[in-house]
Amino acid sequence: TEEGAFGLFVWVREHIDPEQTTWLGRGVNCPACQSFWIALACACLFPFVSWQMFVLNWLGIAGGALLLLKWSER
């Protein structure tokens, strides 16, 4: 579910920007936005030779996460 373990994600969404008036508030409530930024952190864990490889890893991880999200909603 989108609540997360122990309702952590609900707590974060309620305390950052409950009315979603800022880009940060809208971003924490959007699964596509979350996957984009979490993929950035994950891409930093992989070794990369060039910045192009880093960007490919980043976008590939984000795309894979979105595919899993779409498939799980069916």
Side-chain angles (χ1 to χ4, degrees):
T1 65
E2 292 182 6
E3 294 177 2
F6 309 108
L8 178 66
F9 296 141
V10 174
W11 184 87
V12 169
R13 283 188 214 116
E14 289 173 352
H15 285 83
I16 288 185
D17 187 10
E19 288 83 32
Q20 299 181 22
T21 55
T22 64
W23 67 270
L24 184 61
R26 290 187 299 271
V28 229
N29 285 299
C30 170
C33 301
Q34 291 173 3
S35 70
F36 185 74
W37 294 113
I38 292 171
L40 173 63
C42 292
C44 291
L45 300 175
F46 290 107
F48 52 92
V49 179
S50 63
W51 66 270
Q52 292 97 341
M53 184 58 74
F54 175 76
V55 170
L56 279 175
N57 284 339
W58 179 14
L59 297 178
I61 294 168
L66 287 175
L67 278 175
L68 288 173
L69 177 70
K70 294 297 179 187
W71 286 339
S72 68
E73 290 177 348
R74 289 185 183 186

